Structure formats: structure tokens, C-alpha cells
Amino acid sequence: MSLEAKEFITKFESFCPLWLAEQGDPCGLHIGSLDKKIDRVMMTLDVRPEVVSEAIEKDIDLIVAKHPPIFRPVDRLVADDPQTKMYIDLVKHDIAVYAAHTNMDIIWGGLNDWFCEMLGIKESHYLVKTHEARLKKLAVYMPSDNGKQMREALAKTGAGTQGNYRNTSYSLTGVGRFTPNKKANPTIGTQDQEEQVQETRIEVVFPETLQEKVLQAMYQAHPYEEPAYDILPLDNFPQSFGLGRVGYLDSPTHIEDFVQKVKKSFQLDGLRLIQPKEVKQTVQKIAICGGSGGKFYSDALKKEADVYITGDISYHTAHDMQANGLTVIDPGHNIEAVCIKQFIEKMEEWKKEEEWDVEFLPSTVNTNPFQFR
Ligand SMILES: [Zn+2]
């Protein structure tokens, strides 16, 4: 039995929600439709013509990509341009493309945290704050027998995720009372007769941005015609999210040793090092931002990082960094390819949990356009 694409994406978004993408970032379904069954899903950093050929060859139904493939508005959809031919090929072979871009950088436990793990950067926090979500609580009342079904439905939306814990909820049992009127169509009870039911109250906390999804799931899982529930705004600290990470190495490390560590961790043939006049010999506080984080170098300075790691640094930005006394390592944009292995592992976990019948494949095409000589 194949898996519904929508079910897979619901699970994906409970981990990597769309509301955490930066404004204007075309995350989410990018090409094709999710209204279909999927047997094979491929994870890739980039969607390039070679990756599309690979997907066709491997009979892929859905590509999950870090980089949304349509960067610029398409003014002609023709087969003699390799970039647009690849869109045509995707549609022709009914391969959908779903992109998780800046939300993958921002989520806790996402790409920037994987970088930190690889480099031994600990106790990290975000470099630049991007989102803040106030918390709400849903308390919903239902017959006790329906509790499990409700908890599972709410967890699928990502509700109940607190720090390193997911599927958190609280329940207590009590007595619910109601009298259906003549127009009612009650699941339990009879019209015009008072009813008493042993009910469970389930409480879950969620970021307010999830409210619509949480209520939708609650209504779908609830057996009653008129579910009883409360939405409570919470005064707890809001959840905050951001791009990049700043943290510490276990001990002060010589810059040359750290450079080698970056090279080895990301299996690079080379990287670019930008050093100020007064070279910092040892480093311990490290800032990192996957992708093109050149514009956040002043945040790395503000956070007093000894070194900042990011890709795609331009000539003039490098001059500014140097003049401001910041040591920067540019390992290239392609280090983001680590997301392929990490996501395949995650998807395999979901597959086990949900007993899905689906195959997850990593793209094996190297999409790094740069080579070192
Ligand atoms: Zn990127």
C-alpha cells in the first residue's frame, strides 16, 4: 500500500513548518501535486537537470529539495533551455517537488544544528532572531475511548512539541453533561434527554501560528457534533527561532587546526579563509550560518564570535569583514548537502513510527559547481 503524499508532508511540516520560512521564500509544494500516492521520495540539495534525470530513472514520485528550483520568474516554458526543460520533464513524469529552504535553516534541530554537531560546537543559540511565536493551549473534552485518536491527531500537526520533547500532552478524566435538542444528531444520547458521559480532557500547548491546523485536526478527530474545547492564550515565554548558530568548542583551538577540522568534517578540497590584520591565533566561540550568510557578519561581530563560518562571501564583503577584525571561513554553499543524509535518517524514523510503505532515496548527484585545482 503506497503512502499519500499529503500524509508525508503533514509529518514533514510537523518537524519543519512552513511558517518558519523567511518572508517571500517559496517554500512548500513547488511543482506538481500532492494529491497522489507516493512510492519513492528523493532528497536533494538542488534540483538540477542531472538530478531530474536521476529522479526519472529511479521512478521517483516526489523530490524534497533544500533549494526551491524556480528562483526567477519563468517567462518562457520551453524545452530548448535546460533550466525550463527540467520543469517540463518533472511535470511530464508526474514528479512533484517540495522545497524546505529557510525553514530548514531556522528550525531547532535543523541544518545549522547539524553543522554544530559535526564541528563540535556546543551550547549554541541562534545568530539572528527571525521568528517569535506566542504559545496557546488547547483543552478538548471527549469520551475517554477517543482520547488516543485525539492525541495522535493533534501530535501530527506538531502541537505538543516543547524543546527536545514531542507529543507532549496532559489528560484528566471527568464527567461531561449535555442535553441534545430536537435538531441535534448526537453521537451519544437522545434528543431532549440529559446525558452524562465519562470524558477525558486533553491539553496540548502549541505555537499560535499552528492554531488553524490544530483546530482542523481536532474537529476531524472528535466524535461529537459540537466538540467542547477551550483555546487559552499563555503568558509563558514565547518560543523564539533564528538563523545561524553561535556556540563554543570544548577548548580553545588553534585557528589552523580549526580550519582543518572544517575541511575534514565537510570533506572539502579547499575553503576560503578571511583573516584580519591582527590574526586571532586561537578560537573557541564559533558562529555559523549555512548558505549565503555574508550579510549577517555584523551579528557574528556583535556576538563576539572568534570566527564566522558561512558561504558565498563576495570580494567587498570580505574586505569589510577583514577591516572589522573578523575571521571568516567560507567553506562554500554546498556544505548544505549534509541535509540529504540527515533528512533520509529522519524520514526512515517517521516511516518506522507510522508504518509507511514508501522508499526514501538520497540523490547521488554532486551538484557543487565549484572545483579546486
Ligand atoms: Zn542554501
Side-chain angles (χ1 to χ4, degrees):
M1 209 183 72
S2 325
L3 171 66
E4 290 287 340
K6 276 186 187 151
E7 191 186 337
F8 168 71
I9 293 299
T10 300
K11 186 82 181 173
F12 189 96
E13 290 180 357
S14 74
F15 170 68
C16 192
L18 289 177
W19 63 269
L20 276 181
E22 285 211 284
Q23 248 188 356
D25 186 12
C27 284
L29 180 66
H30 204 69
I31 293 173
S33 166
L34 292 178
D35 210 1
K36 63 173 187 174
K37 298 213 181 273
I38 48 173
D39 291 311
R40 269 172 294 277
V41 177
M42 191 169 83
M43 181 74 205
T44 183
L45 172 61
D46 302 294
V47 181
R48 305 301 312 139
E50 300 78 12
V51 175
V52 174
S53 302
E54 182 189 16
I56 294 168
E57 203 180 292
K58 292 181 176 167
D59 207 8
I60 297 295
D61 304 297
L62 172 69
I63 294 177
V64 177
K66 166 76 167 65
H67 293 136
I70 306 176
F71 300 119
R72 291 172 279 272
V74 177
D75 47 13
R76 290 188 324 139
L77 196 55
V78 291
D80 60 6
D81 172 347
Q83 181 72 26
T84 49
K85 180 181 180 293
M86 118 186 153
Y87 305 146
I88 297 171
D89 287 343
L90 286 164
V91 173
K92 217 157 57 180
H93 290 86
D94 192 22
I95 301 171
V97 179
Y98 179 93
H101 189 207
T102 49
N103 48 346
M104 190 197 289
D105 300 315
I106 292 169
I107 43 163
W108 289 116
L111 187 57
N112 281 302
D113 297 301
W114 296 328
F115 290 150
C116 287
E117 271 169 42
M118 292 171 78
L119 297 172
I121 302 168
K122 294 177 182 164
E123 297 167 50
S124 63
H125 204 56
Y126 50 70
L127 178 64
V128 192
K129 185 172 167 179
T130 54
H131 295 75
E132 188 174 87
R134 297 212 67 83
L135 296 172
K136 286 193 173 182
K137 180 184 274 185
L138 168 72
V140 55
Y141 306 78
M142 80 227 73
S144 298
D145 287 350
N146 296 91
K148 186 169 180 271
Q149 167 192 334
M150 180 60 74
R151 279 187 278 110
E152 285 174 359
L154 294 173
K156 272 188 180 165
T157 65
T161 301
Q162 289 179 265
N164 291 328
Y165 298 83
R166 60 193 169 90
N167 303 353
T168 64
S169 67
Y170 182 81
S171 357
L172 85 175
T173 50
V175 178
R177 298 174 194 87
F178 49 86
T179 306
N181 72 12
K182 285 210 160 31
K183 286 183 183 161
N185 179 21
T187 314
I188 298 172
T190 319
Q191 289 168 344
D192 283 335
Q193 280 186 30
E194 192 186 312
E195 189 61 51
Q196 284 201 13
V197 182
Q198 190 199 308
E199 289 187 335
T200 293
R201 168 188 163 111
I202 292 179
E203 298 176 9
V204 284
V205 173
F206 58 90
E208 61 183 358
T209 41
L210 271 187
Q211 182 163 324
E212 206 186 311
K213 276 195 171 166
V214 168
L215 285 182
Q216 241 175 28
M218 186 273 288
Y219 270 103
Q220 255 175 25
H222 206 292
Y224 283 179
E225 193 178 15
E226 297 286 353
Y229 68 93
D230 311 318
I231 295 276
L232 312 161
L234 300 182
D235 235 358
N236 305 31
F237 279 119
Q239 279 180 342
S240 55
F241 303 85
L243 270 169
R245 298 289 183 261
V246 191
Y248 298 87
L249 300 176
D250 275 337
S251 54
T253 304
H254 195 279
I255 180 68
E256 292 303 332
D257 294 336
F258 186 63
V259 164
Q260 290 312 315
K261 186 174 185 158
V262 174
K263 254 180 99 170
K264 209 171 146 202
S265 302
F266 297 119
Q267 297 172 340
L268 305 171
D269 295 328
L271 51 71
R272 297 192 298 171
L273 176 65
I274 299 154
Q275 284 188 308
K277 231 183 212 136
E278 281 198 24
V279 174
K280 216 166 229 179
Q281 294 299 335
T282 55
V283 296
Q284 187 166 19
K285 191 172 186 182
I286 315 292
I288 184 161
C289 184
S292 318
K295 63 182 172 191
F296 302 124
Y297 85 86
S298 53
D299 296 281
L301 277 168
K302 262 186 243 154
K303 299 252 159 110
E304 295 177 336
D306 298 321
V307 57
Y308 179 38
I309 306 170
T310 196
D312 295 344
I313 294 167
S314 70
Y315 187 77
H316 297 298
T317 306
H319 278 159
D320 294 340
M321 290 166 161
Q322 212 173 25
N324 282 287
L326 185 64
T327 303
V328 182
I329 294 173
D330 181 345
H333 201 131
N334 195 258
I335 61 163
E336 291 192 330
V338 302
C339 73
I340 299 174
K341 183 176 163 275
Q342 293 285 354
F343 259 101
I344 293 283
E345 276 175 27
K346 221 163 230 323
M347 291 170 188
E348 289 293 343
E349 269 172 40
W350 299 339
K351 178 175 161 178
K352 234 190 204 164
E353 253 172 61
E354 305 289 337
E355 298 176 5
W356 286 340
D357 186 8
V358 66
E359 214 181 319
F360 296 115
L361 296 101
S363 167
T364 54
V365 173
N366 176 7
T367 57
N368 193 355
F370 302 113
Q371 292 180 18
F372 288 89
R373 286 288 183 270

PDB file of all heavy atoms in Angstrom, residues 2-32:
ATOM      1  N   SER A   2       0.665   2.118  -0.983  1.00  0.00           N
ATOM      2  CA  SER A   2       1.506   3.325  -1.054  1.00  0.00           C
ATOM      3  C   SER A   2       1.065   4.355  -0.016  1.00  0.00           C
ATOM      4  O   SER A   2       0.040   4.204   0.622  1.00  0.00           O
ATOM      5  CB  SER A   2       1.401   3.974  -2.430  1.00  0.00           C
ATOM      6  OG  SER A   2       1.257   3.017  -3.421  1.00  0.00           O
ATOM      7  N   LEU A   3       1.878   5.390   0.076  1.00  0.00           N
ATOM      8  CA  LEU A   3       1.618   6.447   1.057  1.00  0.00           C
ATOM      9  C   LEU A   3       1.013   7.663   0.343  1.00  0.00           C
ATOM     10  O   LEU A   3       1.412   7.996  -0.767  1.00  0.00           O
ATOM     11  CB  LEU A   3       2.970   6.813   1.704  1.00  0.00           C
ATOM     12  CG  LEU A   3       3.039   8.028   2.601  1.00  0.00           C
ATOM     13  CD1 LEU A   3       2.214   7.815   3.863  1.00  0.00           C
ATOM     14  CD2 LEU A   3       4.494   8.322   2.964  1.00  0.00           C
ATOM     15  N   GLU A   4       0.079   8.323   1.015  1.00  0.00           N
ATOM     16  CA  GLU A   4      -0.486   9.559   0.457  1.00  0.00           C
ATOM     17  C   GLU A   4       0.570  10.658   0.602  1.00  0.00           C
ATOM     18  O   GLU A   4       1.118  10.852   1.696  1.00  0.00           O
ATOM     19  CB  GLU A   4      -1.728   9.987   1.251  1.00  0.00           C
ATOM     20  CG  GLU A   4      -2.941   9.104   1.076  1.00  0.00           C
ATOM     21  CD  GLU A   4      -3.602   9.270  -0.285  1.00  0.00           C
ATOM     22  OE1 GLU A   4      -3.364  10.304  -0.937  1.00  0.00           O
ATOM     23  OE2 GLU A   4      -4.327   8.343  -0.682  1.00  0.00           O
ATOM     24  N   ALA A   5       0.832  11.401  -0.465  1.00  0.00           N
ATOM     25  CA  ALA A   5       1.836  12.475  -0.412  1.00  0.00           C
ATOM     26  C   ALA A   5       1.489  13.477   0.691  1.00  0.00           C
ATOM     27  O   ALA A   5       2.365  13.952   1.414  1.00  0.00           O
ATOM     28  CB  ALA A   5       1.911  13.168  -1.762  1.00  0.00           C
ATOM     29  N   LYS A   6       0.193  13.748   0.830  1.00  0.00           N
ATOM     30  CA  LYS A   6      -0.232  14.743   1.830  1.00  0.00           C
ATOM     31  C   LYS A   6       0.087  14.280   3.250  1.00  0.00           C
ATOM     32  O   LYS A   6       0.431  15.090   4.100  1.00  0.00           O
ATOM     33  CB  LYS A   6      -1.733  14.993   1.700  1.00  0.00           C
ATOM     34  CG  LYS A   6      -2.051  16.001   0.627  1.00  0.00           C
ATOM     35  CD  LYS A   6      -3.521  16.313   0.634  1.00  0.00           C
ATOM     36  CE  LYS A   6      -3.849  17.180  -0.559  1.00  0.00           C
ATOM     37  NZ  LYS A   6      -5.215  16.981  -1.011  1.00  0.00           N
ATOM     38  N   GLU A   7      -0.046  12.974   3.479  1.00  0.00           N
ATOM     39  CA  GLU A   7       0.246  12.454   4.824  1.00  0.00           C
ATOM     40  C   GLU A   7       1.735  12.620   5.129  1.00  0.00           C
ATOM     41  O   GLU A   7       2.114  13.012   6.234  1.00  0.00           O
ATOM     42  CB  GLU A   7      -0.166  10.980   4.904  1.00  0.00           C
ATOM     43  CG  GLU A   7      -0.131  10.478   6.343  1.00  0.00           C
ATOM     44  CD  GLU A   7      -0.377   8.989   6.498  1.00  0.00           C
ATOM     45  OE1 GLU A   7      -0.999   8.385   5.595  1.00  0.00           O
ATOM     46  OE2 GLU A   7       0.059   8.445   7.521  1.00  0.00           O
ATOM     47  N   PHE A   8       2.566  12.353   4.116  1.00  0.00           N
ATOM     48  CA  PHE A   8       4.003  12.509   4.296  1.00  0.00           C
ATOM     49  C   PHE A   8       4.351  13.975   4.596  1.00  0.00           C
ATOM     50  O   PHE A   8       5.124  14.289   5.502  1.00  0.00           O
ATOM     51  CB  PHE A   8       4.750  12.022   3.037  1.00  0.00           C
ATOM     52  CG  PHE A   8       6.199  12.411   3.021  1.00  0.00           C
ATOM     53  CD1 PHE A   8       7.093  11.812   3.891  1.00  0.00           C
ATOM     54  CD2 PHE A   8       6.656  13.403   2.158  1.00  0.00           C
ATOM     55  CE1 PHE A   8       8.429  12.186   3.898  1.00  0.00           C
ATOM     56  CE2 PHE A   8       7.987  13.781   2.172  1.00  0.00           C
ATOM     57  CZ  PHE A   8       8.878  13.172   3.041  1.00  0.00           C
ATOM     58  N   ILE A   9       3.736  14.887   3.829  1.00  0.00           N
ATOM     59  CA  ILE A   9       4.054  16.309   4.007  1.00  0.00           C
ATOM     60  C   ILE A   9       3.545  16.829   5.362  1.00  0.00           C
ATOM     61  O   ILE A   9       4.202  17.657   6.001  1.00  0.00           O
ATOM     62  CB  ILE A   9       3.508  17.137   2.818  1.00  0.00           C
ATOM     63  CG1 ILE A   9       4.268  16.774   1.526  1.00  0.00           C
ATOM     64  CG2 ILE A   9       3.581  18.644   3.080  1.00  0.00           C
ATOM     65  CD1 ILE A   9       5.779  17.049   1.537  1.00  0.00           C
ATOM     66  N   THR A  10       2.407  16.327   5.820  1.00  0.00           N
ATOM     67  CA  THR A  10       1.907  16.725   7.149  1.00  0.00           C
ATOM     68  C   THR A  10       2.959  16.379   8.205  1.00  0.00           C
ATOM     69  O   THR A  10       3.272  17.181   9.083  1.00  0.00           O
ATOM     70  CB  THR A  10       0.575  15.999   7.467  1.00  0.00           C
ATOM     71  OG1 THR A  10      -0.351  16.363   6.457  1.00  0.00           O
ATOM     72  CG2 THR A  10       0.030  16.377   8.826  1.00  0.00           C
ATOM     73  N   LYS A  11       3.525  15.175   8.085  1.00  0.00           N
ATOM     74  CA  LYS A  11       4.561  14.745   9.040  1.00  0.00           C
ATOM     75  C   LYS A  11       5.811  15.628   8.880  1.00  0.00           C
ATOM     76  O   LYS A  11       6.396  16.067   9.865  1.00  0.00           O
ATOM     77  CB  LYS A  11       4.904  13.275   8.762  1.00  0.00           C
ATOM     78  CG  LYS A  11       5.842  12.659   9.747  1.00  0.00           C
ATOM     79  CD  LYS A  11       5.109  12.205  10.976  1.00  0.00           C
ATOM     80  CE  LYS A  11       6.043  11.603  12.009  1.00  0.00           C
ATOM     81  NZ  LYS A  11       5.342  11.319  13.260  1.00  0.00           N
ATOM     82  N   PHE A  12       6.186  15.868   7.632  1.00  0.00           N
ATOM     83  CA  PHE A  12       7.370  16.686   7.342  1.00  0.00           C
ATOM     84  C   PHE A  12       7.205  18.080   7.970  1.00  0.00           C
ATOM     85  O   PHE A  12       8.098  18.598   8.617  1.00  0.00           O
ATOM     86  CB  PHE A  12       7.556  16.796   5.819  1.00  0.00           C
ATOM     87  CG  PHE A  12       8.849  17.438   5.413  1.00  0.00           C
ATOM     88  CD1 PHE A  12       9.950  16.656   5.088  1.00  0.00           C
ATOM     89  CD2 PHE A  12       8.988  18.812   5.366  1.00  0.00           C
ATOM     90  CE1 PHE A  12      11.161  17.231   4.728  1.00  0.00           C
ATOM     91  CE2 PHE A  12      10.189  19.402   5.023  1.00  0.00           C
ATOM     92  CZ  PHE A  12      11.280  18.614   4.689  1.00  0.00           C
ATOM     93  N   GLU A  13       6.018  18.653   7.772  1.00  0.00           N
ATOM     94  CA  GLU A  13       5.794  20.023   8.267  1.00  0.00           C
ATOM     95  C   GLU A  13       5.593  20.085   9.779  1.00  0.00           C
ATOM     96  O   GLU A  13       5.738  21.153  10.367  1.00  0.00           O
ATOM     97  CB  GLU A  13       4.611  20.663   7.524  1.00  0.00           C
ATOM     98  CG  GLU A  13       4.966  20.964   6.071  1.00  0.00           C
ATOM     99  CD  GLU A  13       3.835  21.591   5.274  1.00  0.00           C
ATOM    100  OE1 GLU A  13       2.727  21.746   5.815  1.00  0.00           O
ATOM    101  OE2 GLU A  13       4.061  21.906   4.091  1.00  0.00           O
ATOM    102  N   SER A  14       5.285  18.951  10.400  1.00  0.00           N
ATOM    103  CA  SER A  14       5.196  18.981  11.868  1.00  0.00           C
ATOM    104  C   SER A  14       6.618  19.129  12.424  1.00  0.00           C
ATOM    105  O   SER A  14       6.822  19.632  13.521  1.00  0.00           O
ATOM    106  CB  SER A  14       4.500  17.735  12.414  1.00  0.00           C
ATOM    107  OG  SER A  14       5.353  16.620  12.329  1.00  0.00           O
ATOM    108  N   PHE A  15       7.623  18.727  11.632  1.00  0.00           N
ATOM    109  CA  PHE A  15       9.017  18.926  12.034  1.00  0.00           C
ATOM    110  C   PHE A  15       9.561  20.251  11.481  1.00  0.00           C
ATOM    111  O   PHE A  15      10.250  20.993  12.178  1.00  0.00           O
ATOM    112  CB  PHE A  15       9.877  17.754  11.528  1.00  0.00           C
ATOM    113  CG  PHE A  15      11.353  17.982  11.682  1.00  0.00           C
ATOM    114  CD1 PHE A  15      11.929  18.035  12.941  1.00  0.00           C
ATOM    115  CD2 PHE A  15      12.170  18.166  10.572  1.00  0.00           C
ATOM    116  CE1 PHE A  15      13.291  18.274  13.097  1.00  0.00           C
ATOM    117  CE2 PHE A  15      13.522  18.400  10.718  1.00  0.00           C
ATOM    118  CZ  PHE A  15      14.085  18.449  11.980  1.00  0.00           C
ATOM    119  N   CYS A  16       9.240  20.534  10.257  1.00  0.00           N
ATOM    120  CA  CYS A  16       9.829  21.677   9.552  1.00  0.00           C
ATOM    121  C   CYS A  16       8.693  22.565   9.019  1.00  0.00           C
ATOM    122  O   CYS A  16       8.376  22.521   7.827  1.00  0.00           O
ATOM    123  CB  CYS A  16      10.694  21.112   8.415  1.00  0.00           C
ATOM    124  SG  CYS A  16      11.774  22.300   7.650  1.00  0.00           S
ATOM    125  N   PRO A  17       8.034  23.335   9.898  1.00  0.00           N
ATOM    126  CA  PRO A  17       6.820  24.052   9.469  1.00  0.00           C
ATOM    127  C   PRO A  17       7.092  25.205   8.508  1.00  0.00           C
ATOM    128  O   PRO A  17       8.136  25.857   8.577  1.00  0.00           O
ATOM    129  CB  PRO A  17       6.235  24.571  10.792  1.00  0.00           C
ATOM    130  CG  PRO A  17       7.355  24.567  11.764  1.00  0.00           C
ATOM    131  CD  PRO A  17       8.369  23.562  11.311  1.00  0.00           C
ATOM    132  N   LEU A  18       6.119  25.438   7.641  1.00  0.00           N
ATOM    133  CA  LEU A  18       6.259  26.496   6.631  1.00  0.00           C
ATOM    134  C   LEU A  18       6.299  27.886   7.251  1.00  0.00           C
ATOM    135  O   LEU A  18       6.929  28.796   6.696  1.00  0.00           O
ATOM    136  CB  LEU A  18       5.097  26.429   5.638  1.00  0.00           C
ATOM    137  CG  LEU A  18       5.118  25.241   4.672  1.00  0.00           C
ATOM    138  CD1 LEU A  18       3.886  25.258   3.796  1.00  0.00           C
ATOM    139  CD2 LEU A  18       6.376  25.285   3.809  1.00  0.00           C
ATOM    140  N   TRP A  19       5.641  28.070   8.390  1.00  0.00           N
ATOM    141  CA  TRP A  19       5.589  29.419   8.972  1.00  0.00           C
ATOM    142  C   TRP A  19       6.959  29.871   9.457  1.00  0.00           C
ATOM    143  O   TRP A  19       7.163  31.052   9.740  1.00  0.00           O
ATOM    144  CB  TRP A  19       4.530  29.518  10.072  1.00  0.00           C
ATOM    145  CG  TRP A  19       4.752  28.637  11.273  1.00  0.00           C
ATOM    146  CD1 TRP A  19       4.280  27.372  11.449  1.00  0.00           C
ATOM    147  CD2 TRP A  19       5.489  28.953  12.465  1.00  0.00           C
ATOM    148  NE1 TRP A  19       4.679  26.871  12.662  1.00  0.00           N
ATOM    149  CE2 TRP A  19       5.414  27.821  13.316  1.00  0.00           C
ATOM    150  CE3 TRP A  19       6.204  30.066  12.903  1.00  0.00           C
ATOM    151  CZ2 TRP A  19       6.023  27.783  14.568  1.00  0.00           C
ATOM    152  CZ3 TRP A  19       6.807  30.028  14.157  1.00  0.00           C
ATOM    153  CH2 TRP A  19       6.719  28.898  14.960  1.00  0.00           C
ATOM    154  N   LEU A  20       7.934  28.950   9.511  1.00  0.00           N
ATOM    155  CA  LEU A  20       9.284  29.352   9.917  1.00  0.00           C
ATOM    156  C   LEU A  20      10.158  29.775   8.733  1.00  0.00           C
ATOM    157  O   LEU A  20      11.325  30.099   8.910  1.00  0.00           O
ATOM    158  CB  LEU A  20       9.971  28.213  10.671  1.00  0.00           C
ATOM    159  CG  LEU A  20       9.643  28.147  12.162  1.00  0.00           C
ATOM    160  CD1 LEU A  20      10.384  26.999  12.824  1.00  0.00           C
ATOM    161  CD2 LEU A  20       9.978  29.451  12.876  1.00  0.00           C
ATOM    162  N   ALA A  21       9.591  29.776   7.526  1.00  0.00           N
ATOM    163  CA  ALA A  21      10.361  30.239   6.366  1.00  0.00           C
ATOM    164  C   ALA A  21      10.432  31.760   6.407  1.00  0.00           C
ATOM    165  O   ALA A  21       9.561  32.420   6.971  1.00  0.00           O
ATOM    166  CB  ALA A  21       9.705  29.776   5.085  1.00  0.00           C
ATOM    167  N   GLU A  22      11.480  32.311   5.798  1.00  0.00           N
ATOM    168  CA  GLU A  22      11.594  33.766   5.729  1.00  0.00           C
ATOM    169  C   GLU A  22      10.560  34.298   4.744  1.00  0.00           C
ATOM    170  O   GLU A  22      10.153  33.583   3.814  1.00  0.00           O
ATOM    171  CB  GLU A  22      13.002  34.146   5.275  1.00  0.00           C
ATOM    172  CG  GLU A  22      14.006  33.950   6.389  1.00  0.00           C
ATOM    173  CD  GLU A  22      15.146  34.931   6.292  1.00  0.00           C
ATOM    174  OE1 GLU A  22      16.025  34.732   5.425  1.00  0.00           O
ATOM    175  OE2 GLU A  22      15.153  35.900   7.064  1.00  0.00           O
ATOM    176  N   GLN A  23      10.180  35.550   4.927  1.00  0.00           N
ATOM    177  CA  GLN A  23       9.165  36.144   4.052  1.00  0.00           C
ATOM    178  C   GLN A  23       9.591  36.096   2.591  1.00  0.00           C
ATOM    179  O   GLN A  23      10.738  36.421   2.268  1.00  0.00           O
ATOM    180  CB  GLN A  23       8.931  37.589   4.462  1.00  0.00           C
ATOM    181  CG  GLN A  23       7.549  37.744   5.054  1.00  0.00           C
ATOM    182  CD  GLN A  23       7.200  39.186   5.301  1.00  0.00           C
ATOM    183  OE1 GLN A  23       8.011  40.074   5.092  1.00  0.00           O
ATOM    184  NE2 GLN A  23       5.983  39.418   5.742  1.00  0.00           N
ATOM    185  N   GLY A  24       8.690  35.688   1.721  1.00  0.00           N
ATOM    186  CA  GLY A  24       8.983  35.676   0.293  1.00  0.00           C
ATOM    187  C   GLY A  24       9.733  34.432  -0.172  1.00  0.00           C
ATOM    188  O   GLY A  24       9.992  34.271  -1.363  1.00  0.00           O
ATOM    189  N   ASP A  25      10.106  33.563   0.743  1.00  0.00           N
ATOM    190  CA  ASP A  25      10.823  32.339   0.374  1.00  0.00           C
ATOM    191  C   ASP A  25       9.797  31.327  -0.160  1.00  0.00           C
ATOM    192  O   ASP A  25       8.855  30.986   0.547  1.00  0.00           O
ATOM    193  CB  ASP A  25      11.524  31.797   1.634  1.00  0.00           C
ATOM    194  CG  ASP A  25      12.410  30.602   1.340  1.00  0.00           C
ATOM    195  OD1 ASP A  25      12.669  30.338   0.157  1.00  0.00           O
ATOM    196  OD2 ASP A  25      12.836  29.942   2.304  1.00  0.00           O
ATOM    197  N   PRO A  26       9.977  30.869  -1.417  1.00  0.00           N
ATOM    198  CA  PRO A  26       8.941  29.988  -1.985  1.00  0.00           C
ATOM    199  C   PRO A  26       9.020  28.552  -1.477  1.00  0.00           C
ATOM    200  O   PRO A  26       9.275  27.619  -2.223  1.00  0.00           O
ATOM    201  CB  PRO A  26       9.209  30.066  -3.496  1.00  0.00           C
ATOM    202  CG  PRO A  26      10.671  30.344  -3.587  1.00  0.00           C
ATOM    203  CD  PRO A  26      11.072  31.121  -2.361  1.00  0.00           C
ATOM    204  N   CYS A  27       8.815  28.368  -0.177  1.00  0.00           N
ATOM    205  CA  CYS A  27       8.857  27.023   0.410  1.00  0.00           C
ATOM    206  C   CYS A  27       7.531  26.312   0.177  1.00  0.00           C
ATOM    207  O   CYS A  27       6.531  26.930  -0.138  1.00  0.00           O
ATOM    208  CB  CYS A  27       9.097  27.126   1.908  1.00  0.00           C
ATOM    209  SG  CYS A  27      10.789  27.510   2.307  1.00  0.00           S
ATOM    210  N   GLY A  28       7.546  25.024   0.395  1.00  0.00           N
ATOM    211  CA  GLY A  28       6.328  24.221   0.261  1.00  0.00           C
ATOM    212  C   GLY A  28       6.276  23.542  -1.093  1.00  0.00           C
ATOM    213  O   GLY A  28       7.297  23.415  -1.778  1.00  0.00           O
ATOM    214  N   LEU A  29       5.061  23.131  -1.495  1.00  0.00           N
ATOM    215  CA  LEU A  29       4.931  22.461  -2.790  1.00  0.00           C
ATOM    216  C   LEU A  29       5.334  23.450  -3.878  1.00  0.00           C
ATOM    217  O   LEU A  29       4.831  24.561  -3.944  1.00  0.00           O
ATOM    218  CB  LEU A  29       3.492  21.983  -3.006  1.00  0.00           C
ATOM    219  CG  LEU A  29       3.265  21.283  -4.339  1.00  0.00           C
ATOM    220  CD1 LEU A  29       4.036  19.973  -4.418  1.00  0.00           C
ATOM    221  CD2 LEU A  29       1.783  21.032  -4.573  1.00  0.00           C
ATOM    222  N   HIS A  30       6.259  23.020  -4.732  1.00  0.00           N
ATOM    223  CA  HIS A  30       6.865  23.939  -5.694  1.00  0.00           C
ATOM    224  C   HIS A  30       6.462  23.583  -7.123  1.00  0.00           C
ATOM    225  O   HIS A  30       6.265  24.454  -7.956  1.00  0.00           O
ATOM    226  CB  HIS A  30       8.382  23.836  -5.524  1.00  0.00           C
ATOM    227  CG  HIS A  30       9.134  25.029  -5.963  1.00  0.00           C
ATOM    228  ND1 HIS A  30       9.082  26.238  -5.306  1.00  0.00           N
ATOM    229  CD2 HIS A  30       9.958  25.208  -7.011  1.00  0.00           C
ATOM    230  CE1 HIS A  30       9.851  27.096  -5.931  1.00  0.00           C
ATOM    231  NE2 HIS A  30      10.384  26.507  -6.974  1.00  0.00           N
ATOM    232  N   ILE A  31       6.391  22.293  -7.397  1.00  0.00           N
ATOM    233  CA  ILE A  31       5.996  21.824  -8.734  1.00  0.00           C
ATOM    234  C   ILE A  31       5.104  20.587  -8.548  1.00  0.00           C
ATOM    235  O   ILE A  31       5.387  19.752  -7.677  1.00  0.00           O
ATOM    236  CB  ILE A  31       7.233  21.437  -9.587  1.00  0.00           C
ATOM    237  CG1 ILE A  31       8.077  22.686  -9.906  1.00  0.00           C
ATOM    238  CG2 ILE A  31       6.821  20.723 -10.890  1.00  0.00           C
ATOM    239  CD1 ILE A  31       9.391  22.403 -10.601  1.00  0.00           C
ATOM    240  N   GLY A  32       4.043  20.482  -9.349  1.00  0.00           N
ATOM    241  CA  GLY A  32       3.209  19.282  -9.354  1.00  0.00           C
ATOM    242  C   GLY A  32       2.129  19.293  -8.298  1.00  0.00           C
ATOM    243  O   GLY A  32       1.687  20.356  -7.864  1.00  0.00           O
TER     244      GLY A  32
END
